[in-house]
Amino acid sequence: MAQCVQSVQELIPDSFVPCVAALCSDEAERLTRLNHLSFAELLKPFSRLTSEVHMRDPNNQLHIIKNLKIAVSNIITQPPQPGAIRKLLNDVVSGSQPAEGLVANVITAGDYDLNISDRSIKASVPWYSNWKDTLMELKESSLYTATTPWFESYRETFLQSMPASDHEFLNHYLACMLVASSNEVEPMEQFSKLSQEQHRIQHNNDYSYPKWFIPNTLKYYVLLHDVSAGDEQRAESIYEEMKQKYGTQGCYLLKINSRTSNRASDEQIPDPWSQYLQKSSIQNQESYEDGPCTITSNKNSDSNLLSLDGLDNEVKVDGLPNNFRAHPLQLDQSSDPSNSIDGPDHVKSASSLHETKKANTGIIHGACLTLTDHDRIRQFIQEFTFRGLLPHIEKTIRQLNDQLISRKGLSRSLFSATKKWFSGSKVPEKSINELKNTSGLLYPPEAPELQIRKMADLCFLVQHYDLAYSCYHTAKKDFLNDQAMLYAAGALEMAAVSAFLQPGAPRPYPAHYMDTAIQTYRDICRNMVLAERCVLLSAEILKSQSKYSEAAALLIRLTSEDSDLRSALLLEQAAHCFINMKSPMVRKYAFHMILAGHRFSKAGQKKHALRCYCQAMQVYKGKGWSLAEDHINFTIGRQSYTLRQLDNAVSAFRHILINESKQSAAQQGAFLREYLYVYKNVSQLSPDGPLPQLPLPYINSSATRVFFGHDRRPADGEKQAATHVSLDQEYDSESSQQWRELEEQVVAVVNKGIIPSSFYPTQYCLNSYSDNSRFPLAVVEEPITVEVAFRNPLKVPLLLTDLSLLWKFQPKDFSGKDNEEVKELITGEPEMIGTEVISEFLINSEESKVARLKLFPHHIGELHILGVVYNLGTIQGSMTVDGIGALPGCHTGKHSLSMSVRGRQDLEIQGPRLNNTKEEKTSIKYGPDRRLDPIITEEMPLLEVFFIHFPTGLLCGEIRKAYVEFVNVSKCPLTALKVVSKRPEFFTFGGNTAVLTPLSPSASENCSAYKTVVTDSTSVCTALISSASSVDFGIGIGSQPEVIPVPLPDTVLLPGASVQLPMWLRGPDEEGVHEINFLFYYESVKKQPKIRHRILRHTAVICTSRSLNVRATVCRSNSLEDEEGRGGNMLVFVDVENTNTSEAGVKEFHIVQVSSSSKLWKLQNSVNLAENKEAKLASREKGKFCFKAVRCKEKEAAMQSSERYTFADIIFGNEQIISSASPCADFFYRSLSSELKKPQAQLSLHTEKHSIEDAVRLIQKCSEVDLNIIILWKAYVVEDSKQLILEGQHHVILRTIGKEAFSYPQKQELPEMELLKFFRPENTAVSSRPSVDQLSNLIKTSLHYPESFNHPFHQKSLCLVPVTLLLSNCSKADVDVIVDLRHKTTSPEALEIHGSFTWLGQTQYKLQLKSQEIHSLQLKACFVHTGVYNLGTPRVFAKLSDQVTVFETSQQNSMPALIIINNM
């Protein structure tokens, strides 16, 4: 049980005190009424004696009584009605509530901290840690001070309002005070009248109530004297007369009202009555309101609960008429019989109580009394007790004791006979069966057994517990013998209490007596009131002995259906017992608190019910017992709602909805409807207040995405809008990094190679992955879309209506000074910010769904998006919600409208965790996330890009022409339009100069993308020369080939204007799917302070399929002369293979032209032997071409800057494609650009000797060639029984003589795994010896001789043939050459094939060849007979002139120089 203010040793004596009746004359009552008090109430604060009292017991032993208290009350002739008592008790309990706002009593039980007397909730988890230690501390600590004042008030009221009954005498009147006033005309006569009245009430059979202890009741005559108004002399003389008549022991003169009540109160007189009367007046006000209550002399029976406020009898509200004889607890007969405590009418009692409280606060009690008067009243009680009451009790005990002793002398049988004779024949009021079932016998008042009981009760009242116990014990035996069960139970009950209260505790507390008594009262006598008294007393006694478990069992045993209030209070006390045990049973506590709460609720005690549930919640919270939590929260919500604690109700229902509920869908639907209903009521209370926060649906704030700009337009026929950025795209960190790099690239180009410090990459879509540390910039008149991620945790669908964003806006002027007054505009200013409203948004059960909400800023300033605002509702469960069954009508139906509440949810996004400085790493700090706080800036141009005839599939290398349309959809002109891409080789807008781009008529006839010229057939197989500079095509040294300016007319696009430009595309060389990113960059003509530029993104997806594979090699030609007699011709071999597997429907490829492009070389003609006019390649066929390449003329090469390329076209058809024009040259230069970016090896121009590395480089350079081949082709495709012609080009870049080059990227072969080597590698410097291949290219040799030579051997046996040996220095340095003719072919095969011959003349020549010089040696060969000879035997050694180290190696020709010697 909870802690009580009084200990049980104080509680029991205070509950059973001597009762004294009071009977006042009207005049006396009037005097006390001046103080707003009745006579009995006047005495109440002074009814406890301040000193010990002595009396003698029957054995003449002195007996000391401590703290004796007497109860003075009015005579009431009607017994109280049970219904009225119930009502009184109910009001007492409801009137006593835990004080709000006080420091809570915290009980630490196990690992729980339980707030007991307050409604705040706190429970510590985990459950069992350090359980035992905490308990031991708990037992020793003074922490558990939980009090339940409502229970104590209930118990006190219950014990005092118990009606007097015949089987016990504890609350029967022992004495009667007769009170008259000194102002009466005939005071003595008045006393006689009062005395007769008392005698009539006691002895007249008309009155069965009240009960009197013994026939000769003590009468005590009190004369009231009003000091301020009365005549003191007269009072004294009357008092003398009284003493003569009634003796000094039997009368008293009480002087009161020493000051007039209307006098201003100079001194503050204490008011000891308020504590007694405050609660009683509140509790009993209704018994006055219910109807006329009848009271004799305005006194209530043995209860301190009535206050009668009023000045005279005529005032109905304040005072009561004095001539009624009814109990103050009498219910108005005409009132509704259902108005019992457990009836339905509780709301009224609470409200009227409240009003009464207000009415009673202003009354001052005892206004006419001084402190002297207080002392006089105290003195009067002392005198009455010492001189009147106690001597009377002492005398009565002696008389009863004498009767007992005389009775003991008689034999049992004789006694029983006399008993029958004395008592006469008892006539049972009911049949024997019924008697046995109820309470057994009924004794007449003078029965000897009752005399024992009387003596026991008297001893008990004066605290003589030993004697009381022995008497009760004796009486108990007699009653049990007679089967008088009610009497026996009463004797057992009091015997047990007496045994417990005996000083020195000679015997243990006989709990079994109490158990028997309770069982008898409850089961046999059917008297729950008496059973309840037993339980209350016994539980207190057990609690005082720390027998909490037994106390709890006892309390729980008396809970029953007949009284919810009693059951609730007892269950609550039982719960407190569980928590006070040595090992606190916290869960039992919680369970019984729930039961108590339920019973409180049934009893109409809503506040107590709520408190119990809240206290139990502390235990169940956070344990994962979600169904229990739901039940408790639901009840708390309901009770709070009934008590109009709407905020608590809302938060309780909110808990049910937001925790992951395990309830069924129907239950969740019920919870939701209840919640909405409560919420609606809350919002109606303050319709103009701030919008409440709604708990549903969940919003994943961090998943909120913000998009700046218009939605993308869908494709319109052949027009396809740029993909740009949209909310439908998933975030990809890799691609966002690529876009960022592209933007940095173009910004660097615009700012002359430097990225400005203020640059920040443009972000159109902000999400949890983007950098949201700075305020995003939005443009006025462009929509802002916020995507909010909702999740419905319930199994019932939620319907959100009128869903829109909630925002705050500060208009500002960013260009100049800020506005002086920055006015804050909260939602609802459409001329500043337009807000889109979604009328209906349905989220199905357990569904996650995003809503996209738009704002339209019409003014510059700072916008803060705060959250969303919407009506939360639900729809009928019978509907299927899959989009089909959910008819549009049902949402707007009355169900949805009646059950929806308007509220808001805030979007609060936590920024990223900071982790840069040491302080941030050691603490938990989060950065800002500003994605919802955009700054609205001045208007900017807005570009839209459309692609027309843009292909999705191409062959590798295929050229296709498309168009791009640029539209300025804003009100500002835009300029500086550029496009940047990582794949510049994929597209071109054509050359810079307009001359290069226009189409020739013949090309437009054939729909060709190329510029063509019709040629006559004679010029076939010889090259047509043209030239172009790479600068014209945007490819120069130091330029960024990825950043391409878009050739807008006048470089400006005006508002509303659109421009269509041609765009050529070339399929990438690798097959597969290619994503190609374009970033369009543009600026406003008028420079903006906040936004410097804008971008538009487009991702093109192209699928390429295989077409041709081209591989080429170049080697030196053996024929040295060209037209100018200069050396250095080359042969170019080109292999073309059709690798297309005809999936694309390609029938065949035609090679229509082969062009070369180089600064130094050009193709001269085709040396294919077969005059294959049309080079056709069917599937998987391979063709081989051979071309002769010559150096460009010096003047051609040096004519312009080094950026000038010479193009030579060799045509296989009748139409020349001008390869130096767009788009052929564009794509060629773009393919070159990646090569151009590689650093070129510069020659070192030291005057001193070159290092070995330089020499090596010079030698390497001899084998380098800078020749690029362009293969132009057409493919014939059959598609839907139509023939299409596709065209395209492939590039092969030849760098090195003899090394094969490819048009397609080669797959890198992975090196084979090799064993690890565990030694340090030596420093490998650049290889100081050039390779054999490189050296063999240093000097080119060529023998010139007749192919066959006729010689008449019969005339001359020696045949001499002149042979010219041409030596050509291929390097840019001087070379020393040694030609050795002594060499003989050693291999026997060569000897077999070729006969032997001899060189005549000088056998070794030493020469020096200048840079690129050609030198010829005239040699003679001598043959002796006919045959075929190989003249390629001279050995040539070479070294660089200025090198000490001689790199000498044989310059062997690969091809044998065969000569045929014929005989003539």
Side-chain angles (χ1 to χ4, degrees):
M1 288 172 80
Q3 293 302 107
C4 294
V5 180
Q6 289 181 305
S7 70
V8 66
Q9 279 81 4
E10 298 166 329
L11 166 76
I12 297 174
D14 274 7
S15 303
F16 300 102
V17 292
C19 294
V20 179
L23 200 55
C24 301
S25 70
D26 291 351
E27 183 62 24
E29 192 69 30
R30 188 186 67 76
L31 289 185
T32 57
R33 279 277 160 221
L34 294 173
N35 295 297
H36 297 286
L37 295 165
S38 70
F39 180 72
E41 286 162 357
L42 183 72
L43 306 183
K44 186 142 283 171
F46 312 103
S47 59
R48 188 184 294 280
L49 299 188
T50 48
S51 57
E52 289 181 355
V53 193
H54 298 236
M55 65 172 277
R56 295 201 174 267
D57 65 9
N59 301 330
N60 224 18
Q61 298 294 316
L62 195 65
H63 170 61
I64 299 168
I65 309 169
K66 293 178 181 171
N67 282 331
L68 180 64
K69 182 179 165 190
I70 62 168
V72 182
S73 54
N74 284 11
I75 292 181
I76 293 160
T77 56
Q78 289 290 324
Q81 289 190 347
I85 294 177
R86 282 208 301 273
K87 186 167 176 45
L88 172 66
L89 292 172
N90 201 58
D91 292 347
V92 167
V93 174
S94 61
S96 174
Q97 296 290 341
E100 297 281 341
L102 287 185
V103 178
N105 286 321
V106 178
I107 290 192
T108 307
D111 228 27
Y112 294 86
D113 293 334
L114 301 175
N115 285 337
I116 299 300
S117 61
D118 202 7
R119 280 217 326 286
S120 54
I121 294 176
K122 170 169 164 253
S124 77
V125 222
W127 211 323
Y128 284 104
S129 61
N130 303 338
W131 185 252
K132 284 275 178 266
D133 309 348
T134 320
L135 293 180
M136 295 328 292
E137 286 167 34
L138 168 68
K139 282 286 116 192
E140 286 139 28
S141 77
S142 59
L143 263 179
Y144 58 115
T145 55
T147 56
T148 46
W150 48 92
F151 171 69
E152 290 174 51
S153 303
Y154 170 86
R155 187 179 58 197
E156 183 186 352
T157 308
F158 171 80
L159 291 171
Q160 292 181 351
S161 63
M162 282 194 74
S165 78
D166 289 331
H167 80 288
E168 64 180 16
F169 306 95
L170 290 162
N171 52 3
H172 291 198
Y173 285 132
L174 277 162
C176 180
M177 290 181 183
L178 304 172
V179 189
S181 160
S182 61
N183 294 352
E184 311 255 3
V185 187
E186 286 291 336
M188 297 306 284
E189 196 179 315
Q190 189 65 43
F191 279 126
S192 303
K193 279 185 189 168
L194 291 171
S195 180
Q196 286 161 15
E197 175 77 355
Q198 189 276 329
H199 187 273
R200 192 170 62 81
I201 290 172
Q202 181 171 357
H203 297 291
N204 192 332
N205 288 335
D206 298 347
Y207 296 103
S208 64
Y209 204 84
K211 308 280 186 190
W212 302 89
F213 209 101
I214 44 176
N216 54 340
T217 303
L218 168 72
K219 290 178 184 171
Y220 197 78
Y221 299 89
V222 182
L223 181 66
L224 271 189
H225 175 60
D226 187 326
V227 178
S228 59
D231 179 355
E232 194 151 342
Q233 296 272 270
R234 179 164 189 260
E236 289 290 353
S237 67
I238 295 167
Y239 181 48
E240 284 302 324
E241 197 180 333
M242 285 167 68
K243 283 200 279 192
Q244 297 294 323
K245 187 172 179 183
Y246 305 119
T248 50
Q249 308 287 330
C251 56
Y252 196 84
L253 169 62
L254 178 57
K255 299 178 180 177
I256 58 168
N257 296 359
S258 297
R259 64 175 183 173
T260 51
S261 59
N262 52 6
R263 196 181 67 196
S265 55
D266 314 323
E267 49 177 333
Q268 274 293 316
I269 299 289
D271 177 7
W273 294 273
S274 55
Q275 57 179 338
Y276 295 99
L277 303 182
Q278 185 73 35
K279 58 181 179 185
S280 355
S281 64
I282 292 167
Q283 291 150 2
N284 294 315
Q285 190 71 14
E286 276 177 82
S287 54
Y288 309 150
E289 289 167 1
D290 279 348
C293 300
T294 50
I295 293 191
T296 301
S297 305
N298 282 352
K299 258 311 135 267
N300 111 352
S301 81
D302 58 46
S303 107
N304 57 355
L305 284 164
L306 265 185
S307 80
L308 303 170
D309 303 329
L311 300 173
D312 53 43
N313 302 330
E314 282 74 53
V315 187
K316 278 281 183 189
V317 180
D318 292 330
L320 296 175
N322 207 9
N323 51 0
F324 282 120
R325 303 182 182 282
H327 197 277
L329 299 180
Q330 177 89 38
L331 276 174
D332 174 18
Q333 297 304 317
S334 65
S335 70
D336 179 8
S338 71
N339 192 11
S340 67
I341 298 318
D342 298 332
D345 192 15
H346 305 301
V347 184
K348 168 189 164 269
S349 73
S351 58
S352 61
L353 247 160
H354 185 63
E355 288 150 21
T356 317
K357 225 175 233 172
K358 280 192 281 190
N360 277 310
T361 45
I363 295 170
I364 301 167
H365 300 289
C368 302
L369 302 175
T370 60
L371 288 175
T372 317
D373 291 336
H374 288 198
D375 290 338
R376 286 176 182 148
I377 298 169
R378 200 174 283 114
Q379 186 63 40
F380 159 62
I381 295 288
Q382 296 268 69
E383 283 291 315
F384 165 70
T385 314
F386 284 15
R387 294 169 178 253
L389 185 63
L390 282 178
H392 176 68
I393 291 175
E394 197 175 323
K395 188 174 87 182
T396 311
I397 291 177
R398 281 175 191 273
Q399 286 173 356
L400 291 167
N401 189 49
D402 293 344
Q403 286 180 26
L404 241 80
I405 292 165
S406 61
R407 176 197 148 188
K408 274 183 185 167
L410 300 170
S411 72
R412 180 77 189 145
S413 56
L414 177 67
F415 182 68
S416 54
T418 45
K419 186 172 71 173
K420 279 177 189 160
W421 178 63
F422 271 119
S423 58
S425 56
K426 280 182 263 184
V427 181
E429 295 173 297
K430 300 179 181 172
S431 71
I432 296 299
N433 264 344
E434 279 178 315
L435 277 180
K436 283 279 183 275
N437 286 344
T438 54
S439 52
L441 294 165
L442 287 174
Y443 292 98
E446 62 280 3
E449 291 89 344
L450 290 192
Q451 307 309 315
I452 303 178
R453 170 72 207 229
K454 258 183 200 175
M455 179 173 166
D457 284 348
L458 267 180
C459 294
F460 190 87
L461 288 174
V462 293
Q463 302 174 14
H464 201 316
Y465 299 119
D466 298 346
L467 188 51
Y469 175 76
S470 60
C471 293
Y472 284 130
H473 203 266
T474 312
K476 173 201 74 160
K477 287 181 184 165
D478 287 349
F479 293 141
L480 284 173
N481 287 338
D482 291 341
Q483 292 285 297
M485 296 316 290
L486 176 64
Y487 296 89
L492 281 166
E493 173 189 6
M494 296 316 291
V497 175
S498 305
F500 170 71
L501 289 173
Q502 275 177 336
R507 50 177 66 80
Y509 168 62
H512 59 286
Y513 279 16
M514 271 298 193
D515 294 345
T516 312
I518 294 167
Q519 198 176 346
T520 308
Y521 281 144
R522 192 184 63 188
D523 300 340
I524 298 176
C525 308
R526 303 264 185 260
N527 190 328
M528 289 307 281
V529 176
L530 293 168
E532 185 178 349
R533 182 179 71 185
C534 277
V535 166
L536 293 176
L537 296 174
S538 186
E540 276 302 324
I541 292 169
L542 290 168
K543 189 185 86 173
S544 71
Q545 298 176 337
S546 296
K547 294 182 178 171
Y548 289 106
S549 178
E550 291 89 332
L554 194 63
L555 291 160
I556 292 166
R557 200 172 0 149
L558 204 69
T559 55
S560 62
E561 289 307 310
D562 64 323
S563 168
D564 288 313
L565 181 64
R566 179 186 69 231
S567 303
L569 288 160
L570 297 184
L571 283 165
E572 184 182 15
Q573 292 307 308
H576 282 286
C577 287
F578 288 123
I579 210 170
N580 278 316
M581 290 165 77
K582 203 170 242 174
S583 305
M585 295 177 152
V586 184
R587 282 174 289 173
K588 266 200 155 142
Y589 160 77
F591 182 65
H592 285 85
M593 283 307 263
I594 295 283
L595 295 177
H598 175 64
R599 297 306 288 270
F600 270 131
S601 175
K602 283 174 74 179
Q605 297 282 352
K606 304 295 182 193
K607 281 189 182 171
H608 287 296
L610 178 59
R611 180 184 49 71
C612 289
Y613 275 101
C614 288
Q615 287 177 11
M617 188 60 172
Q618 301 172 99
V619 177
Y620 289 112
K621 199 172 170 191
K623 298 293 177 306
W625 295 357
S626 65
L627 295 178
E629 274 190 67
D630 285 353
H631 170 79
I632 297 171
N633 272 318
F634 183 70
T635 315
I636 288 175
R638 276 248 167 116
Q639 299 290 6
S640 302
Y641 176 70
T642 322
L643 292 167
R644 311 308 289 164
Q645 297 176 3
L646 297 179
D647 293 344
N648 288 353
V650 165
S651 70
F653 282 121
R654 184 190 180 94
H655 273 293
I656 307 179
L657 296 175
I658 61 175
N659 295 333
E660 294 296 332
S661 175
K662 296 190 176 68
Q663 303 282 3
S664 67
Q667 191 63 46
Q668 287 183 359
F671 285 160
L672 179 61
R673 283 193 297 278
E674 190 98 14
Y675 171 76
L676 294 175
Y677 178 69
V678 172
Y679 227 127
K680 214 169 178 60
N681 282 291
V682 175
S683 52
Q684 279 165 1
L685 286 181
S686 52
D688 305 327
L691 280 175
Q693 292 279 349
L694 294 173
L696 289 172
Y698 289 178
I699 292 182
N700 182 358
S701 287
S702 62
T704 304
R705 297 194 297 164
V706 185
F707 175 69
F708 301 100
H710 295 277
D711 292 343
R712 181 174 166 245
R713 290 195 198 171
D716 177 18
E718 284 295 319
K719 267 194 188 186
Q720 176 197 348
T723 55
H724 195 40
V725 185
S726 81
L727 286 168
D728 298 324
Q729 297 164 0
E730 287 295 315
Y731 175 81
D732 176 16
S733 58
E734 216 171 293
S735 74
S736 68
Q737 182 58 29
Q738 285 174 12
W739 288 116
R740 183 184 179 135
E741 286 166 9
L742 287 175
E743 190 176 352
E744 283 174 358
Q745 218 170 344
V746 66
V747 168
V749 168
V750 170
N751 291 284
K752 306 188 175 47
I754 301 154
I755 295 178
S757 58
S758 61
F759 167 74
Y760 187 69
T762 310
Q763 296 189 119
Y764 283 110
C765 183
L766 301 177
N767 51 31
S768 50
Y769 305 105
S770 53
D771 176 8
N772 305 322
S773 57
R774 54 179 68 201
F775 294 103
L777 299 173
V779 178
V780 72
E781 302 299 344
E782 289 186 20
I784 299 169
T785 309
V786 179
E787 181 184 89
V788 184
F790 290 112
R791 180 168 76 82
N792 177 6
L794 301 182
K795 299 186 178 82
V796 287
L798 295 176
L799 178 69
L800 311 186
T801 52
D802 297 341
L803 170 64
S804 62
L805 288 170
L806 199 60
W807 48 264
K808 184 171 76 176
F809 181 66
Q810 288 177 313
K812 283 199 177 166
D813 179 15
F814 293 114
S815 53
K817 57 194 184 311
D818 274 18
N819 289 358
E820 285 310 310
E821 34 96 36
V822 175
K823 47 184 178 177
E824 292 228 347
L825 294 167
I826 309 298
T827 50
E829 287 276 349
E831 64 270 12
M832 286 289 180
I833 308 279
T835 309
E836 180 195 44
V837 177
I838 297 179
S839 59
E840 285 180 356
F841 187 75
L842 181 69
I843 312 174
N844 281 330
S845 58
E846 297 179 334
E847 180 189 23
S848 295
K849 193 173 179 183
V850 294
R852 291 183 184 162
L853 297 155
K854 284 198 177 71
L855 293 177
F856 302 93
H858 303 312
H859 198 286
I860 60 172
E862 291 178 8
L863 177 65
H864 302 281
I865 298 164
L866 306 174
V868 286
V869 57
Y870 54 93
N871 296 325
L872 172 65
T874 180
I875 51 177
Q876 286 104 328
S878 60
M879 289 177 11
T880 55
V881 191
D882 50 5
I884 306 155
L887 302 169
C890 69
H891 300 345
T892 52
K894 67 178 195 312
H895 175 85
S896 132
L897 283 177
S898 63
M899 288 301 266
S900 71
V901 291
R902 188 146 190 85
R904 63 186 277 182
Q905 274 202 67
D906 292 342
L907 291 169
E908 288 165 356
I909 304 174
Q910 188 178 56
R913 171 129 185 231
L914 300 174
N915 203 22
N916 301 325
T917 64
K918 185 181 178 188
E919 186 194 352
E920 287 169 356
K921 285 177 180 169
T922 51
S923 60
I924 296 179
K925 284 190 176 174
Y926 292 92
D929 190 301
R930 300 202 166 102
R931 68 182 101 156
L932 295 173
D933 303 317
I935 292 172
I936 315 294
T937 64
E938 292 167 29
E939 59 183 355
M940 285 286 290
L942 184 62
L943 176 72
E944 283 195 359
V945 178
F946 298 96
F947 296 89
I948 302 160
H949 302 304
F950 200 88
T952 52
L954 291 171
L955 294 172
C956 293
E958 183 190 339
I959 305 279
R960 190 79 67 87
K961 185 176 181 185
Y963 288 90
V964 191
E965 184 176 16
F966 297 97
V967 188
N968 181 354
V969 294
S970 68
K971 295 177 182 164
C972 312
L974 67 86
T975 184
L977 178 57
K978 295 179 172 47
V979 59
V980 58
S981 173
K982 282 266 190 278
R983 304 281 293 268
E985 69 277 7
F986 170 67
F987 68 100
T988 176
F989 287 106
N992 290 359
T993 50
V995 187
L996 303 175
T997 354
L999 291 172
S1000 51
S1002 63
S1004 57
E1005 285 160 25
N1006 296 341
C1007 297
S1008 170
Y1010 290 113
K1011 180 179 176 183
T1012 56
V1013 176
V1014 178
T1015 54
D1016 54 337
S1017 54
T1018 55
S1019 65
V1020 169
C1021 296
T1022 56
L1024 301 163
I1025 307 298
S1026 61
S1027 74
S1029 166
S1030 63
V1031 179
D1032 292 340
F1033 294 93
I1035 310 289
I1037 289 176
S1039 76
Q1040 281 263 23
E1042 287 98 341
V1043 180
I1044 300 154
V1046 177
L1048 288 176
D1050 308 330
T1051 69
V1052 171
L1053 194 57
L1054 294 170
S1058 68
V1059 173
Q1060 268 197 22
L1061 295 176
M1063 179 191 214
W1064 288 271
L1065 308 169
R1066 177 176 179 268
D1069 285 319
E1070 301 150 78
E1071 68 165 327
V1073 178
H1074 302 269
E1075 273 196 10
I1076 296 158
N1077 291 337
F1078 299 92
L1079 184 125
F1080 295 93
Y1081 166 102
Y1082 57 98
E1083 296 172 6
S1084 174
V1085 173
K1086 177 185 161 198
K1087 292 284 172 269
Q1088 296 285 8
K1090 291 270 183 193
I1091 305 182
R1092 299 284 172 85
H1093 67 271
R1094 299 193 85 179
I1095 59 167
L1096 177 72
R1097 302 175 181 179
H1098 176 63
T1099 302
V1101 180
I1102 299 284
C1103 181
T1104 53
S1105 44
R1106 287 187 283 187
S1107 55
L1108 298 177
N1109 272 0
V1110 183
R1111 49 181 75 197
T1113 46
V1114 61
C1115 56
R1116 295 193 190 282
S1117 164
N1118 280 336
S1119 62
L1120 277 179
E1121 269 105 29
D1122 51 15
E1123 297 84 16
E1124 291 85 32
R1126 295 274 323 271
N1129 292 355
M1130 305 246 232
L1131 289 176
V1132 179
F1133 298 95
V1134 180
D1135 288 1
V1136 183
E1137 183 186 359
N1138 174 0
T1139 56
N1140 187 281
T1141 50
S1142 66
E1143 308 126 349
V1146 181
K1147 221 165 46 175
E1148 57 188 4
F1149 285 91
H1150 290 210
I1151 309 298
V1152 292
Q1153 181 173 318
V1154 176
S1155 303
S1156 72
S1157 168
S1158 171
K1159 295 179 189 176
L1160 304 170
W1161 298 86
K1162 62 187 180 189
L1163 289 184
Q1164 197 178 31
N1165 54 15
S1166 167
V1167 292
N1168 271 24
L1169 298 175
E1171 288 295 315
N1172 178 6
K1173 282 280 287 172
E1174 286 189 341
K1176 290 183 186 174
L1177 292 174
S1179 180
R1180 310 308 289 181
E1181 278 188 350
K1182 192 184 274 191
K1184 206 173 187 70
F1185 299 87
C1186 181
F1187 304 98
K1188 180 179 175 187
V1190 296
R1191 277 186 191 277
C1192 299
K1193 300 187 180 76
E1194 281 292 341
K1195 61 175 185 296
E1196 272 180 14
M1199 189 169 62
Q1200 278 206 338
S1201 70
S1202 61
E1203 298 302 312
R1204 196 90 189 156
Y1205 282 76
T1206 302
F1207 288 82
D1209 304 334
I1210 291 177
I1211 305 153
F1212 292 99
N1214 56 357
E1215 218 178 23
Q1216 179 199 358
I1217 294 170
I1218 299 171
S1219 56
S1220 59
S1222 284
C1224 179
D1226 294 82
F1227 289 117
F1228 159 66
Y1229 281 126
R1230 279 174 167 60
S1231 69
L1232 259 190
S1233 67
S1234 52
E1235 299 290 328
L1236 277 177
K1237 275 193 278 191
K1238 295 176 185 167
Q1240 301 294 323
Q1242 297 292 319
L1243 292 177
S1244 50
L1245 304 170
H1246 303 152
T1247 47
E1248 67 263 16
K1249 286 180 182 292
H1250 285 311
S1251 64
I1252 294 172
E1253 283 82 0
D1254 288 341
V1256 172
R1257 256 184 230 118
L1258 277 169
I1259 292 166
Q1260 283 171 353
K1261 236 178 153 38
C1262 299
S1263 60
E1264 281 178 11
V1265 62
D1266 177 20
L1267 177 63
N1268 307 296
I1269 306 293
I1270 304 168
I1271 315 296
L1272 295 124
W1273 49 264
K1274 285 187 177 173
Y1276 292 87
V1277 178
V1278 179
E1279 197 178 86
D1280 302 335
S1281 69
K1282 290 202 299 269
Q1283 177 161 308
L1284 302 175
I1285 301 178
L1286 308 178
E1287 50 197 350
Q1289 66 189 62
H1290 281 77
H1291 313 120
V1292 183
I1293 296 171
L1294 291 165
R1295 287 272 178 267
T1296 312
I1297 294 174
K1299 191 174 176 194
E1300 195 169 30
F1302 302 90
S1303 67
Y1304 51 93
Q1306 294 299 298
K1307 288 193 174 69
Q1308 290 291 318
E1309 288 292 323
L1310 287 171
E1312 286 184 16
M1313 293 177 80
E1314 36 182 58
L1315 292 170
L1316 284 170
K1317 300 191 174 95
F1318 292 97
F1319 57 85
R1320 184 180 297 149
E1322 293 154 18
N1323 285 349
T1324 49
V1326 178
S1327 123
S1328 53
R1329 291 192 68 81
S1331 68
V1332 178
D1333 291 351
Q1334 289 163 347
L1335 284 169
S1336 67
N1337 288 329
L1338 192 61
I1339 298 289
K1340 184 174 161 189
T1341 59
S1342 180
L1343 289 164
H1344 281 227
Y1345 56 89
E1347 279 188 26
S1348 63
F1349 193 84
N1350 296 333
H1351 179 72
F1353 279 100
H1354 54 277
Q1355 293 175 9
K1356 203 173 183 183
S1357 57
L1358 288 180
C1359 168
L1360 299 179
V1361 180
V1363 177
T1364 307
L1365 173 62
L1366 274 181
L1367 298 169
S1368 168
N1369 178 4
C1370 296
S1371 77
K1372 294 269 173 88
D1374 299 352
V1375 180
D1376 294 345
V1377 182
I1378 298 172
V1379 181
D1380 190 354
L1381 300 177
R1382 291 170 298 183
H1383 169 67
K1384 292 280 180 287
T1385 307
T1386 49
S1387 63
E1389 297 91 2
L1391 286 173
E1392 282 167 26
I1393 300 166
H1394 322 295
S1396 177
F1397 73 99
T1398 315
W1399 292 104
L1400 298 183
Q1402 192 175 334
T1403 55
Q1404 196 177 42
Y1405 298 84
K1406 285 192 178 176
L1407 316 161
Q1408 185 176 40
L1409 294 180
K1410 295 272 183 279
S1411 160
Q1412 297 195 329
E1413 183 190 341
I1414 300 174
H1415 187 82
S1416 62
L1417 284 176
Q1418 301 301 327
L1419 307 176
K1420 281 202 174 103
C1422 174
F1423 302 91
V1424 290
H1425 48 71
T1426 58
V1428 178
Y1429 295 90
N1430 180 8
L1431 294 178
T1433 59
R1435 290 181 69 185
V1436 180
F1437 300 90
K1439 81 173 179 68
L1440 295 174
S1441 304
D1442 54 0
Q1443 286 288 330
V1444 185
T1445 322
V1446 183
F1447 300 130
E1448 293 194 321
T1449 181
S1450 163
Q1451 296 282 338
Q1452 278 292 351
N1453 252 342
S1454 53
M1455 294 175 73
L1458 297 180
I1459 186 168
I1460 304 168
I1461 304 293
N1462 293 323
N1463 193 3
M1464 278 170 47

